Amino acid sequence: MNNQQYSYTFKTLSGLEPLLEKELIDAGAEEITPVKRGFCFLGNEELMYRLNYTSRYGIRLLVEVLRFEFSNKEDFVKQVKAFEWDTYISTEKTMAVDAVVTTSDLFKNSHYAEQLTKDGIVDFFRNRYGLRPAVDKEFPDMLVNAYINGNECVMSVDSSGESLHKRGYRIAAHVAPLNEVLAAGIIGLSGWKMDSDFVDPMCGSGTILIEAAMLANNIPAGFYRKRFGFMGWQTFKPAMFERVKKEASEKGIEFEYRIIGIDRSDDSLRAAQRNIINAKLNRDIELKSGNFFDIELEKASFLMFNPPYDARMPIENSREYYEKIGDTIKNKLRGSTTWMIVGNEDLWKSIGLKSSKKIPLLNGMIESRLLCFESYSGSKKFDDKLNIETNGKE
Ligand SMILES: C[S@@+](CC[C@H](N)C(=O)[O-])C[C@H]1O[C@@H](n2cnc3c(N)ncnc32)[C@H](O)[C@@H]1O
């Protein structure tokens, strides 16, 4: 077997780095070093297939193909042209280039870097074959990533293609869906032990529920995806990928609890139902219509949700609404553990309860916190734990 080692960079969302690092260690990555919102590491081709298919927390896995210093525009194009791009695609296939420029005298914007990279690749193909691959910005067979820092360039091919948060199960939209990787990430950060019912009491289109059910059933994160970037390359080895997929589904998990979604909006419940059926998880997830403020659970459970908080889902009297969330946790969820991702400091303070954990995260561009409220059924402990923060509520 070809066991050539490659240098990879795997990117994630801000706040999920510890989860991604653990995935890399577990998958056998070597020489793992942190970079901004991700890690560089070494590994073989099979590892790249495995990570794309199984990683719950990664967004994009890049394979480094070229690293050079350049002195001017001509030198840049010459060095791009010197790489054997036909390793990855033939002239009948398609390509696109993404560039990130930090500081550079030559490149004032990323668009120019993309243009010159494309020119170098096209020159290579024209010289060797008299033909060139077409550009397809939406679904290219080879997506090249050029990272330029000063006069240094690292060029990679994107083995994921479309961002890995596009799991493939979402067919019904919602005005404010949670990114799938972030949904998996908040479950991962919470350390859910799968030893109680899991409830999303404001489930929207069901992202948190589906990610929880995938975890509980050991369904690989990439199970529903039809395509990964590496599948368009000349190097693609279908038999190796089939083996990786089979191995990923072998580990069984015994999950004996319920996964329940609640929402007060019929539109949201309909969207959740469509996504859940599409993911063939309708036997694993129950949906109910209801208002969180009237919640009644049969037993102590693990709750996780993202209440509305941004411009996409405005709420009237938002402070009062968040105070009511706090009251509901305090009065109706005794014995349960409640996790919530909230993107507005004023609002999370309005909850009026002391969180036992507060983890900073970015939800898109919104600075958010993942908060945990733990309450115990014994009243003494409960009151100790749910000590009220000093905003005058108690
Ligand atoms: C931000 S969205 C949740 C998005 C969801 N995580 C997803 O990925 O699609 C908030 C949801 O909470 C629901 N909601 C708001 N207040 C509620 C309440 N008091 N009781 C039940 N559902 C509520 C809304 O109908 C909406 O579907």
Side-chain angles (χ1 to χ4, degrees):
M1 191 180 94
N2 173 6
N3 203 28
Q4 190 180 340
Q5 294 285 103
Y6 296 87
S7 178
Y8 295 104
T9 303
F10 209 177
K11 298 293 246 180
T12 185
L13 302 176
S14 172
L16 305 190
E17 295 88 347
L19 298 173
L20 183 62
E21 185 174 22
K22 173 144 191 333
E23 280 191 329
L24 292 175
I25 294 167
D26 291 349
E30 288 171 32
E31 297 186 28
I32 303 168
T33 45
V35 292
K36 191 174 177 211
R37 287 193 201 157
F39 294 91
C40 288
F41 58 94
L42 297 179
N44 60 17
E45 192 175 5
E46 190 168 315
L47 178 71
M48 181 264 283
Y49 289 2
R50 188 177 308 124
L51 286 171
N52 269 297
Y53 188 64
T54 62
S55 171
R56 296 192 194 278
Y57 313 116
I59 287 279
R60 231 167 239 296
L61 179 51
L62 306 176
V63 190
E64 183 177 322
V65 293
L66 196 55
R67 184 181 278 265
F68 57 88
E69 286 186 7
F70 55 92
S71 47
N72 54 37
K73 173 185 159 194
E74 290 70 31
D75 185 33
F76 183 90
V77 176
K78 192 171 135 211
Q79 300 205 58
V80 176
K81 190 174 145 185
F83 180 72
E84 310 232 316
W85 294 99
D86 55 355
T87 310
Y88 289 96
I89 54 166
S90 61
T91 52
E92 302 84 60
K93 296 220 175 163
T94 57
M95 57 174 266
V97 181
D98 247 356
V100 177
V101 179
T102 54
T103 52
S104 166
D105 291 335
L106 177 61
F107 298 111
K108 297 295 171 223
N109 59 55
S110 57
H111 184 68
Y112 187 42
E114 284 164 6
Q115 187 63 43
L116 289 194
T117 304
K118 193 199 80 190
D119 290 351
I121 299 173
V122 165
D123 281 358
F124 164 81
F125 279 102
R126 280 230 172 92
N127 273 1
R128 185 166 286 185
Y129 300 100
L131 294 166
R132 51 155 290 189
V135 169
D136 177 346
K137 291 205 163 153
E138 224 179 335
F139 298 110
D141 292 304
M142 175 178 75
L143 176 58
V144 176
N145 182 287
Y147 176 78
I148 291 155
N149 185 16
N151 65 343
E152 259 183 23
C153 175
V154 179
M155 221 158 258
S156 309
V157 283
D158 187 331
S159 71
S160 307
E162 272 203 296
S163 164
L164 294 176
H165 83 274
K166 297 201 174 165
R167 303 275 207 237
Y169 57 71
R170 198 202 289 280
I171 49 166
H174 186 270
V175 275
L178 205 60
N179 175 302
E180 292 84 334
V181 168
L182 186 57
I186 58 178
I187 298 170
L189 289 170
S190 76
W192 179 43
K193 293 196 179 66
M194 297 193 234
D195 56 0
S196 62
D197 289 351
F198 183 104
V199 181
D200 179 345
M202 298 197 189
C203 69
S205 59
T207 319
I208 298 175
L209 298 170
I210 294 174
E211 292 295 329
M214 287 171 76
L215 193 67
N217 290 290
N218 190 39
I219 298 173
F223 182 79
Y224 302 103
R225 255 174 89 112
K226 296 215 165 38
R227 209 170 160 74
F228 296 89
F230 60 79
M231 292 166 82
W233 299 347
Q234 307 292 90
T235 53
F236 178 45
K237 300 182 181 59
M240 184 187 273
F241 187 41
E242 285 310 311
R243 189 170 66 241
V244 163
K245 291 203 298 196
K246 191 163 169 278
E247 279 168 15
S249 303
E250 270 166 5
K251 200 178 80 191
I253 294 183
E254 291 291 310
F255 179 68
E256 296 154 354
Y257 299 91
R258 298 161 72 195
I259 298 178
I260 303 165
I262 304 170
D263 206 289
R264 67 180 176 187
S265 144
D266 288 343
D267 282 350
S268 291
L269 287 171
R270 262 192 295 274
Q273 185 156 32
R274 283 192 66 206
N275 291 330
I276 289 165
I277 289 175
N278 189 40
K280 298 191 174 60
L281 288 169
N282 37 314
R283 286 168 52 171
D284 302 85
I285 301 172
E286 302 162 39
L287 291 176
K288 294 178 188 178
S289 175
N291 192 326
F292 173 67
F293 302 130
D294 305 321
I295 193 164
E296 278 182 28
L297 298 177
E298 283 168 25
K299 52 183 174 181
S301 303
F302 183 98
L303 290 92
M304 176 159 278
F305 64 115
N306 77 303
Y309 57 78
D310 66 20
R312 290 179 299 175
M313 279 207 92
I315 26 174
E316 276 178 40
N317 302 325
S318 49
R319 288 208 177 153
E320 209 177 285
Y321 177 90
Y322 272 77
E323 274 175 31
K324 269 174 88 175
I325 290 182
D327 290 343
T328 307
I329 294 172
K330 190 174 165 223
N331 298 321
K332 294 188 181 276
L333 294 174
R334 212 164 260 257
S336 292
T337 299
T338 305
W339 288 82
M340 213 187 300
I341 178 166
V342 186
N344 177 321
E345 189 167 358
D346 268 358
L347 296 183
W348 76 65
K349 285 192 171 152
S350 300
I351 295 170
L353 302 176
K354 190 171 172 65
S355 54
S356 59
K357 293 198 185 80
K358 194 185 279 177
I359 303 171
L361 287 173
L362 271 184
N363 181 2
M365 299 303 284
I366 305 169
E367 265 200 50
S368 306
R369 294 286 182 279
L370 178 65
L371 306 171
C372 176
F373 301 102
E374 285 170 288
S375 61
Y376 296 91
S377 33
S379 58
K380 167 78 176 70
K381 272 185 176 169
F382 171 79
D383 290 335
D384 283 351
K385 202 74 193 177
L386 282 184
N387 237 334
I388 307 302
E389 271 178 347
T390 53
N391 69 349
K393 275 197 72 196
E394 221 179 69

